[in-house]
């Protein structure tokens, strides 16, 4: 009766997950593999579930020593499932020859599965610093610049400085209250630490461009500009 009830509700992921867990605990790996593959098909419209099934298959193939299936599933995971860290990308890299990896790496970078700032993390890990600088500059985000400043400053000090200036100009243009003005002006101290920092030049430019922003002028004065 229990088996019949499970089959009647087989479309429910939790029913199948319980069966998968039991099969894995009992080391019935062939049956577990078949059920995981079946679940990938049944739940193909639920990306989060599919990613989980794929990860379980990866673990199963690692445990049972099936390198060909492992490589195939790692590629599915990396190219078809959202990635929140570099774990599975690195697992895939470990199983490729140095000649195979660059092409797949470029496919990963060009794909849509890298979440958050994972694309930048992969560029850093691969030592592709010039491309990382290009990527960070294109995002025009002060938090992103801060995130990668320690990595990029020693390699591209002038370009990083100019990117900060560009972002600050854009932020000051959009700022509309004292708190936002103060947040942007605070970055002038950071600029001062760069070669030819141009902090005073930027402050003068803002005074000229926005003479009616009394709160901004006041904040500039407080900061020593």
């Amino acid at each position: 009766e229990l088996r019949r009830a499970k089959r009647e509700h087989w479309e429910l992921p939790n029913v199948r997950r319980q069966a998968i867990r039991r099969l894995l605990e009992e080391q019935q790996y062939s049956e577990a593999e078949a059920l995981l593959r079946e679940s990938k098909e049944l739940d193909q419209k639920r990306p989060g579930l599919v990613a989980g099934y794929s990860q379980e298959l990866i673990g199963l193939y690692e445990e049972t020593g099936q390198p060909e299936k492992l490589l195939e599933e790692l590629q599915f995971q990396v190219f078809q499932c959202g990635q929140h860290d570099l774990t599975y990308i690195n697992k895939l890299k470990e199983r490729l020859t140095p000649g195979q990896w660059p092409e797949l790496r470029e496919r990963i970078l060009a794909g849509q599965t890298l979440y958050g700032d994972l694309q930048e993390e992969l560029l850093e890990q691969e030592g592709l610093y010039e491309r990382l600088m290009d990527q960070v500059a294109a995002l025009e985000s002060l938090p992103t610049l801060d995130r990668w400043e320690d990595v990029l400053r020693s390699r591209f000090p002038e370009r990083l400085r100019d990117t900060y200036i560009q972002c600050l100009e854009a932020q000051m243009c959009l700022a509309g209250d004292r708190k936002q003005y103060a947040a942007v002006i605070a970055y002038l101290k950071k600029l001062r630490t760069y070669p030819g920092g141009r902090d005073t030049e930027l402050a003068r430019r803002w005074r000229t461009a926005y003479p009616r922003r009394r709160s901004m002028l006041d904040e500039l004065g407080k900061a020593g500009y």
Side-chain angles (χ1 to χ4, degrees):
E1 290 178 359
L2 182 59
R3 285 196 294 270
R4 184 171 65 252
K6 287 182 178 180
R7 277 295 167 187
E8 288 175 357
H9 299 285
W10 201 239
E11 76 282 359
L12 299 177
N14 284 342
V15 172
R16 281 177 276 112
R17 291 188 70 84
Q18 289 179 3
I20 291 166
R21 186 164 53 250
R22 178 181 58 80
L23 290 170
L24 290 173
E25 288 173 353
E26 296 175 357
Q27 298 184 353
Q28 299 184 50
Y29 294 127
S30 296
E31 292 82 355
E33 177 188 1
L35 184 47
L36 283 165
R37 288 188 171 278
E38 179 185 355
S39 294
K40 281 174 64 177
E41 293 297 323
L42 291 174
D43 295 326
Q44 59 183 291
K45 294 183 179 180
R46 301 175 179 181
L49 291 178
V50 171
Y53 299 138
S54 175
Q55 291 167 13
E56 289 193 84
L57 280 168
I58 289 169
L60 187 154
Y61 295 144
E62 287 177 326
E63 185 170 347
T64 56
Q66 301 185 65
E68 292 184 2
K69 289 184 177 181
L70 174 58
L71 181 59
E72 179 184 356
E73 195 60 40
L74 281 169
Q75 292 190 63
F76 176 88
Q77 171 68 215
V78 167
F79 290 112
Q80 303 298 326
C81 305
Q83 302 300 299
H84 299 275
D85 57 44
L86 296 176
T87 299
Y88 292 101
I89 292 172
N90 287 335
K91 283 179 179 287
L92 176 59
K93 181 180 179 180
E94 290 170 1
R95 286 157 180 81
L96 296 172
T97 67
Q100 292 173 320
W101 168 241
E103 180 183 352
L104 287 187
R105 180 191 65 204
E106 294 307 311
R107 283 179 55 197
I108 294 168
L109 288 167
Q112 303 294 320
T113 60
L114 302 180
Y115 290 170
D117 60 356
L118 206 57
Q119 189 171 57
E120 291 82 37
E121 287 187 28
L122 182 55
L123 288 171
E124 180 196 16
Q125 177 178 280
E126 292 295 299
L128 302 173
Y129 297 112
E130 189 167 349
R131 289 173 62 180
L132 175 60
M133 182 69 245
D134 291 342
Q135 178 79 4
V136 169
L139 292 173
E140 295 187 348
S141 163
L142 288 172
T144 300
L145 284 171
D146 292 343
R147 164 76 173 81
W148 295 104
E149 184 181 19
D150 289 344
V151 175
L152 297 173
R153 179 168 179 158
S154 62
R155 295 176 172 89
F156 312 101
E158 291 84 5
R159 188 174 178 196
L160 191 60
R161 175 203 64 203
D162 292 345
T163 303
Y164 264 114
I165 290 173
Q166 183 178 350
C167 287
L168 291 173
E169 290 270 42
Q171 289 297 310
M172 185 57 80
C173 181
L174 296 173
D177 58 44
R178 182 179 292 272
K179 183 177 180 181
Q180 292 174 336
Y181 296 145
V184 176
I185 291 167
Y187 273 88
L188 293 177
K189 293 182 179 179
K190 183 189 289 286
L191 277 185
R192 198 181 302 163
T193 67
Y194 280 81
R198 304 178 188 174
D199 57 314
T200 55
E201 177 187 335
L202 195 55
R204 285 196 300 269
R205 195 182 307 167
W206 290 340
R207 283 185 174 277
T208 302
Y210 310 109
R212 296 183 180 180
R213 293 184 177 184
R214 295 182 179 179
S215 296
M216 183 204 73
L217 298 175
D218 185 37
E219 291 298 325
L220 280 170
K222 289 180 181 179
Y225 297 97

